[in-house]
Amino acid sequence: MHACSSAHHHSPRLNRRDLLRGLTAGSALACGCVTLSSCATNPATGEQTLALSSINDDVRTGAKQYPELIAAFGGAYDTGRLQSYVTAVGRKVAAYTELPDLPYEFTVLNSPIINAMALPGGKIAVTRGLLALASTEAELAGVLAHEVGHVNARHGAQSQGRATIAQLGLAVLGIATGSKELVNLGSSLAQSFLQKYSRDQEFEADSLGVRYLSRAGYDPAAMASFLGSMHEQSQVEAQMQGLPPGQVDEYNIMSSHPRTVERVQQAAQQAGAITVANPVVNREGYLGSINGMVFADDPSQGFVRGQTFIHTGLSITFTVPDGFTLRNSTENVTAQDKYGSAIVFDMAPVQRSRTLIEYLQNEWVTDIRLSGLENLQVNGMAAATGTARVQSSNRVADLRVIAFNAGSGRVYRFLFVTDPRVTDAQSRALRETTYSLRRIDAAEAAKIKPLRIIVAQARDGDTVDALSRTLPYGQFNDEWFRLLNDLKPGEEVAAGRTIKIVTS
Ligand SMILES: [Zn+2]
C-alpha cells in the first residue's frame, strides 16, 4: 500500500498511453489496482513496487541492448526456418503473459554455450547450444516461458546498475597481477549480459514460466525435465573443465539461472492444479526443426579440436601443450591446466605504438615493468615478447606476453601465466605454443567443416559407444551423447527411436 501511494507521487510523467500499452492485460489478470489509476502493481507478481511508466523504459533499454547482446554471443545463428520456429514458440508462450503486448523478440544465437537470456521489455535470446540439448518443443517453450517470466516480473530492471565484472574463469589473473590491463584481458562483454538472478527471482520466474507454459497448452512437466538435463550437462561440463562437481563455468545457464529440479517442481505445485488436457510435447517436430543445426564451435568464429585452435575467419591456428584444456569464446581463447597455468590468446588493435616492443610495454602491459624484451620471427610474422614476475598479497605468478603483427593495425597476443614453481618445467612446451601460431591457407580452411546435429532413426545394433565417436569431446563423448539423447548411464538406444547424432 505504501509503495503504491508513493509511486503515485513520484511518477508525474505517467500518462494514459503508458498505462494502456503496458498494463491493459495485466490489470485484468493480476493487478490489484483499478485500470488507469497510477497505483503501481507489478502485473506478474502482484507486488506493488512498479512505477508504470518504467515499462516503457524497459522496452527502450532492451531494444538498445539487444544488438549488443546478440553480437556478444556470436551473432544470430539463422534467420530462416529455425529462427521462425523459435519465434513462433516464444510468441505462443508470451501471448499468455500479463504483458502480452510487449514487443517480444526471440533470437537464436550462434553460440555453443548453453544459455538463454532476457533483456527488460521482452527481448529474449537462446543459444543453439541450448537448442541442441533440448529434445522437445515443450522443453524449448519452458525455457522461453522462464525467460519471459523474468521480463514480466521485471527482474532485469530491478537488478540493473549492479554491474558485474567479468573474469572468464581467470579471476586469478587480476588477483595475481593487480593490473587493470590484465583484468580487462580476462573480462568479457558477453559476461556482462549474463545476469545473476537471486534464488527468489529464479523461483518467481519458474512459477510464472509454469503458469505460461500450461496456459499455452504445453506439458508443464517439461520445465523440470529440461532443468534436469541442464543440471546433468553442467556436471559433465565441470568434469571436462577439471572443476569440482557442481561448480559450473560462468557462461552456463546453471550459473546465471541457479535453480534446482526440486524448486521447479515446487513452482509447478504452487502454480496451482495444473492439468493440461492433451498437453503438447512435440518431440518429432522439434527434432525436425533442429536437424542440420551447427553443433559446438563454428569454425568461422574459431574452434577447438583437441589441443589445436583453428580460426577459419582469421585464417590462423595454434596448438597448446598436452594437459591444457582449450576454450574458445567470442572474445578470446583460453587454456588452463591442473597446475594453474593459463594461456590467453586474443586479437587487439594497435592504437599508437610504432614497434611491437613499444606496444608490449606502453600499450598492453602498462603498469608492470617487463624484462627480457626481444623481437622474434614466428612463421613469417614479426613478434615481440617480454616477461615479468608479479606478486599480490596471496599469489606470485610469472607472466610472458607475446604480440604478433597481424596486419591491418592489429596484433595477435599470447599471455602465459605460470606458477614460479612450474615456469621452468613448462617453458619449453609454452615456447612451442608460441611457435605453433601460423596462418592457414584457403584450401586448408575449406576442408574444415562445422559439426552438425543430424536427426536419424536408431537402427538395430546401434550403440552409444559407436554413435558417440563423432562428437568432439574425447573421453566425454559417451556422456555427451547421452545428454543429447536423454539416455541414462548404461542405457542403450532403442532401435527405431529418433536420435540426435553429430557429424561433419
Ligand atoms: Zn532465470
Side-chain angles (χ1 to χ4, degrees):
M1 291 300 278
H2 183 75
C4 179
S5 52
S6 71
H8 179 85
H9 292 296
H10 293 288
S11 305
R13 285 177 293 128
L14 188 69
N15 63 39
R16 194 183 170 88
R17 202 198 52 196
D18 288 337
L19 278 165
L20 288 170
R21 279 186 49 184
L23 273 193
T24 311
S27 52
L29 284 166
C31 178
C33 305
V34 179
T35 313
L36 299 190
S37 92
S38 45
C39 166
T41 298
N42 184 313
T45 64
E47 283 170 25
Q48 302 209 317
T49 54
L50 174 67
L52 299 187
S53 60
S54 56
I55 288 177
N56 280 355
D57 292 343
D58 282 6
V59 171
R60 271 190 293 274
T61 304
K64 185 170 159 287
Q65 291 181 347
Y66 204 36
E68 296 166 23
L69 181 151
I70 292 168
F73 288 93
Y77 168 64
D78 167 285
T79 49
R81 195 174 53 94
L82 179 61
Q83 177 60 54
S84 308
Y85 173 72
V86 171
T87 297
V89 174
R91 290 209 175 130
K92 197 168 159 188
V93 170
Y96 292 93
T97 63
E98 289 75 16
L99 299 171
D101 298 326
L102 287 179
Y104 289 101
E105 275 187 70
F106 301 87
T107 300
V108 179
L109 299 169
N110 188 12
S111 169
I113 65 160
I114 294 170
N115 216 327
M117 309 95 185
L119 291 174
K123 304 294 191 231
I124 315 278
V126 57
T127 62
R128 61 173 168 74
L130 187 146
L131 297 183
L133 186 63
S135 292
T136 69
E137 184 172 309
E139 288 186 344
L140 169 63
V143 168
L144 299 178
H146 174 94
E147 295 302 326
V148 163
H150 281 305
V151 170
N152 275 259
R154 301 188 72 252
H155 293 153
Q158 282 172 27
S159 53
Q160 257 170 32
R162 235 198 299 136
T164 51
I165 295 173
Q167 302 295 329
L168 203 73
L170 285 173
V172 57
L173 293 183
I175 296 160
T177 64
S179 159
K180 199 164 128 274
E181 205 69 35
L182 292 171
V183 174
N184 287 341
L185 194 138
S187 78
S188 158
L189 176 67
Q191 184 67 46
S192 68
F193 284 107
L194 296 181
Q195 204 152 34
K196 300 270 195 299
Y197 295 105
S198 72
R199 289 179 66 86
D200 285 350
Q201 289 177 325
E202 285 308 312
F203 186 65
E204 200 163 74
D206 281 332
S207 300
L208 293 169
V210 170
R211 183 196 289 177
Y212 308 149
L213 197 61
S214 46
R215 280 181 189 164
Y218 287 109
D219 181 2
M223 197 110 145
S225 82
F226 189 52
L227 191 66
S229 295
M230 291 191 289
H231 183 72
E232 283 165 30
Q233 189 279 332
S234 66
Q235 300 283 96
V236 173
E237 187 72 27
Q239 272 186 294
M240 288 172 66
Q241 304 293 333
L243 298 168
Q247 191 179 328
V248 291
D249 83 273
E250 294 173 90
Y251 290 87
N252 190 292
I253 193 166
M254 299 304 282
S255 169
S256 52
H257 299 255
R259 300 144 76 196
T260 65
V261 172
E262 291 71 29
R263 279 179 78 91
V264 172
Q265 282 165 347
Q266 196 189 332
Q269 283 158 10
Q270 280 200 0
I274 293 165
T275 42
V276 179
N278 306 313
V280 175
V281 175
N282 197 12
R283 183 170 189 271
E284 298 295 317
Y286 179 80
L287 294 177
S289 294
I290 63 163
N291 191 13
M293 183 176 70
V294 169
F295 180 74
D297 289 331
D298 182 336
S300 69
Q301 299 173 352
F303 79 118
V304 170
R305 280 289 174 280
Q307 301 309 101
T308 298
F309 175 75
I310 307 166
H311 198 300
T312 62
L314 296 172
S315 303
I316 52 158
T317 182
F318 65 85
T319 302
V320 298
D322 288 340
F324 280 81
T325 303
L326 262 173
R327 298 184 69 198
N328 179 33
S329 78
T330 316
E331 302 205 341
N332 58 18
V333 184
T334 61
Q336 283 175 286
D337 76 352
K338 62 181 177 185
Y339 303 107
S341 302
I343 303 169
V344 183
F345 176 83
D346 70 355
M347 189 171 72
V350 178
Q351 308 287 359
R352 54 184 185 273
S353 305
R354 286 160 298 145
T355 68
L356 287 168
I357 286 184
E358 206 180 307
Y359 173 80
L360 288 184
Q361 187 69 85
N362 298 339
E363 209 170 306
W364 184 14
V365 188
T366 51
D367 48 3
I368 300 170
R369 191 85 230 129
L370 292 171
S371 54
L373 287 162
E374 61 173 322
N375 288 302
L376 313 168
Q377 280 290 325
V378 176
N379 300 315
M381 281 178 281
T385 184
T387 62
R389 176 161 292 181
V390 291
Q391 191 157 7
S392 70
S393 51
N394 55 2
R395 186 172 166 183
V396 183
D398 286 329
L399 307 185
R400 176 174 285 282
V401 290
I402 304 149
F404 305 77
N405 185 351
S408 313
R410 296 179 303 184
V411 283
Y412 298 128
R413 311 190 295 192
F414 271 123
L415 165 67
F416 299 113
V417 184
T418 49
D419 188 304
R421 285 168 294 188
V422 300
T423 301
D424 282 348
Q426 292 194 331
S427 69
R428 188 195 164 116
L430 294 178
R431 193 176 155 83
E432 281 169 9
T433 295
T434 300
Y435 281 91
S436 72
L437 182 71
R438 65 179 178 86
R439 297 184 193 283
I440 52 173
D441 62 23
E444 200 176 345
K447 280 188 223 148
I448 298 156
K449 301 267 187 268
L451 296 173
R452 291 180 189 277
I453 294 263
I454 300 298
V455 173
Q457 309 298 126
R459 288 177 297 214
D460 269 339
D462 275 345
T463 61
V464 170
D465 189 47
L467 293 170
S468 66
R469 272 176 213 160
T470 47
L471 277 149
Y473 302 117
Q475 56 169 315
F476 296 100
N477 279 350
D478 259 40
E479 278 95 334
W480 257 97
F481 185 83
R482 291 180 191 284
L483 288 172
L484 292 175
N485 290 291
D486 304 314
L487 294 168
K488 291 181 201 66
E491 188 183 351
E492 279 299 339
V493 287
R497 183 170 170 82
T498 310
I499 52 168
K500 300 171 203 158
I501 57 178
V502 171
T503 179
S504 55

